Each structure stands twice: as C-alpha cells, then as structure tokens.
Amino acid sequence: MAKIVVALGGNAILSNDASANAQKEAVQGTVKALIKFIENGDQLIITHGNGPQVGNLLLQQQAADSEKNPAMPLDTCGAMTQGSIGYWFQNAMQEQLAKKQIDRSVVSIVTQTIVDENDQAFEKPTKPIGPFYKESELEQIIKLHPEWTLVEDSGRGYRRVVPSPQPLEIKEYPVIKQIVDAGIIPIVSGGGGIPVIRKGDQLIGTEAVIDKDFSAAKIAELINADQLIILTSVGGVFYNYGKANQEEIFDVTAEEIQGHIDAKEFAAGSMMPKVKAAVQFVQKTGNPAVIGALEDVQDIISGNKGTAIHQ
C-alpha cells in the first residue's frame, strides 16, 4: 500500500458560485476522482488550498467589523476555512466510500505549520489577500490598520499583502502519521496550515499565508510518503509555456528541472511553487513526485499522464 500525499489546487473547490452548496458540489466531484486512489489500494493523505474561501471570509469579517463584533485575525480565519473545507471533503469522501462499500474512516485535522520568525518573507510581504481598495480609500484604511502593507495590484486597485514564509515543521505530523498508519484517510494542512511561531512553550498565530504546495511537501517528507502528487488545472509541467516552442515534460530528474527553476522559467504565482515543492520532496526523500491535472487522476495512477519528477 503506497502512502500518497495529494495536494489539491483551487480548482478542486472553487466555483463561480461562492455559496456553500456550490462549493460542496465541486468538492464532491473532486472526491469522485480521489476515490480512485483508494480503489487502487493506496493510502491517501489529502491537502488543499483555501485562497478564495479565506478571501471571502475576510470580506465578510470586514463588512461586519465593529467594536462589539470585531473582525477575526488572519490566522483564525485560516482555521475557520480549514474546518469548513475539511468538513466538506470529509463528508463527501464518507459518502463515496459508502457508495463503493469501502470500509475506511476519514478525519479532518486543523493543522498548525511552524515558521521561523526570522524568515526573510516577514521583511517583504508578497501574498495578496482580501479585497481591493480604491486610492481614495487608502488614507482611511491606513488609519484603521497602520500595521498593514498595501500595494497596487495590476491596475485593479490596492490590496493588503502578507508574508509567505517557508514551513519548518507541521506541529500535528506525529498524529497525522499515526492516523495514516492506522489506515484512516486524513484531510490536513488546509491552505498550507495555520502559520504559527514558536515562543517558548507557546505557538503564536501570525498574519501570514503559507504556500499549500510547500506544506504538502513538508507533510509528505515528515510522514515518509512514497509519493507526492500535486493536482492542478493543467496536465503537467511545460518548458517555455505559452510560447511557440512550448514543450510538455513527462519524465524529468530533479536536477534537470532545478536548472529551469534557477533560470526562473516558471510563472512565480502558479507553476513555480509547485515545481519547487516537488523537487524539494524528491531531494529530501528520494521518492518521486508528480504534477498533473485533477481530471487525469486515473491516468496519473497508471503512469500515463502528468510530469513525473525523480532522482
């Protein structure tokens, strides 16, 4: 039984309709693909993003913000979306397992990701979150939140940006490992996990967002996974993506693709973190990683699709 960590992109949950019912329906479709790993005899560990969901929650929090009902901080909003999305996946997976008459348990875990307070990311926040603001609103926003960093975003207005530090450790990984060893399917590290900083005996939540792919790679490393699979909206990794000489890569060594990472050939906000996380896992463990499309799960299991990265 292979232990496989699957990292799901936003397309696994995102819908044009932001209602709970629409997102639950999208999750049900995703789970119908993921159940194929279980049918194949694999032990599945599910991780997922939460960008659109935490963005919507921040909008709701700010709209209702008042002295009597203050908005929740970013780490707490991350925990709230971990719980809600984890519930959707847990419920949908239980339904599919029952339909397939597979006797397996599923559990979602609110996961804390430990980061270094001296990570350089805290010096230069880069991750946009929350709503867009007009230039005319800036003075009032800065007065209300002097600690925020606001940047102009592609002509669409101003947005708050927060740090995106690297994960050092997944606090709950020993429990996750025990659950995996017991044959239970865990849903963990939603949105990269809740970023926390160690202060003596305390873990203090911080205003940051951790890249979900790096957290998935760290979990896969810590629980000794046999494979990391990053599922996204495209079929795999391309060199020269979007150009006339575009080339899809099906099988590549970590050393070769590292050269393309160093040359900054991948899009910073989309494919770059995925290839970096995959290479990181391969280099740390010696085990393979695959980047591919959610819709190609059966072919990925068969080894016929996706970009396989190995030593």
Side-chain angles (χ1 to χ4, degrees):
M1 179 185 289
K3 287 191 287 188
I4 298 176
V5 172
V6 170
L8 295 165
N11 63 314
I13 313 164
L14 185 60
S15 169
N16 291 330
D17 180 350
S19 70
N21 283 340
Q23 292 183 81
K24 285 162 69 175
E25 187 175 337
V27 167
Q28 287 170 346
T30 295
V31 166
K32 286 177 182 177
L34 296 182
I35 200 81
K36 294 172 184 176
F37 287 105
I38 310 299
E39 292 177 302
N40 192 54
D42 298 318
Q43 170 63 45
L44 186 63
I45 301 95
I46 301 169
T47 73
H48 60 83
N50 72 342
Q53 292 75 25
V54 81
N56 288 338
L57 181 57
L58 286 168
L59 286 171
Q60 293 167 1
Q61 290 287 315
Q62 289 175 24
D65 189 18
S66 67
E67 190 175 334
K68 289 186 177 181
N69 185 32
M72 293 294 106
L74 181 57
D75 59 319
T76 299
C77 288
M80 291 164 75
T81 55
Q82 268 198 39
S84 59
I85 297 170
Y87 153 61
W88 294 339
F89 270 105
Q90 184 174 307
N91 186 275
M93 181 62 78
Q94 287 167 334
E95 181 181 325
Q96 285 301 311
L97 289 168
K99 285 182 177 179
K100 301 281 186 179
Q101 297 185 321
I102 299 172
D103 185 18
R104 297 284 291 279
S105 296
V106 189
V107 65
S108 51
I109 301 172
V110 176
T111 313
Q112 301 171 96
T113 303
I114 299 171
V115 300
D116 184 354
E117 66 177 326
N118 297 314
D119 191 304
Q120 290 185 348
F122 287 106
E123 299 296 321
K124 189 178 180 182
T126 57
K127 188 74 173 177
I129 62 165
F132 289 90
Y133 299 105
K134 298 175 183 177
E135 190 168 359
S136 59
E137 297 175 296
L138 285 183
E139 186 178 346
Q140 180 65 16
I141 295 298
I142 291 169
K143 189 180 294 184
L144 288 171
H145 301 285
E147 75 282 7
W148 284 12
T149 301
L150 294 157
V151 299
E152 199 280 326
D153 189 343
S154 307
R156 295 178 293 176
Y158 289 81
R159 291 184 83 186
R160 181 187 177 195
V161 289
V162 297
S164 185
Q166 289 290 307
L168 294 180
E169 181 185 337
I170 308 299
K171 173 62 178 173
E172 289 75 22
Y173 94 84
V175 176
I176 295 169
K177 193 172 186 304
Q178 288 178 352
I179 286 169
V180 169
D181 291 344
I184 297 166
I185 303 165
I187 299 140
V188 301
S189 196
I194 304 158
V196 294
I197 292 171
R198 198 186 296 278
K199 297 277 191 182
D201 294 332
Q202 291 183 300
L203 293 177
I204 309 296
T206 186
E207 297 273 297
V209 173
I210 301 166
D211 186 278
K212 63 179 174 50
D213 296 314
F214 286 121
S215 284
K218 179 58 70 174
I219 286 174
E221 173 196 339
L222 291 170
I223 67 168
N224 304 314
D226 297 298
Q227 191 176 41
L228 169 66
I229 297 179
I230 298 175
L231 296 177
T232 183
S233 57
V234 295
V237 179
F238 291 79
Y239 293 157
N240 306 307
Y241 184 72
K243 299 178 181 178
N245 59 342
Q246 173 177 297
E247 177 188 2
E248 186 170 4
I249 306 304
F250 295 99
D251 189 81
V252 65
T253 65
E255 183 179 8
E256 178 188 325
I257 207 165
Q258 183 64 52
H260 294 268
I261 291 170
D262 295 340
K264 296 181 169 55
E265 293 180 18
F266 303 110
S270 54
M271 189 53 72
M272 183 66 89
K274 292 173 176 53
V275 292
K276 278 187 172 180
V279 167
Q280 185 181 95
F281 171 72
V282 173
Q283 291 176 336
K284 294 260 188 175
T285 68
N287 294 332
V290 178
I291 299 173
L294 175 63
E295 62 193 39
D296 294 335
V297 160
Q298 188 60 62
D299 287 320
I300 288 171
I301 291 171
S302 303
N304 296 323
K305 283 197 176 179
T307 299
I309 302 170
H310 53 84
Q311 286 279 42

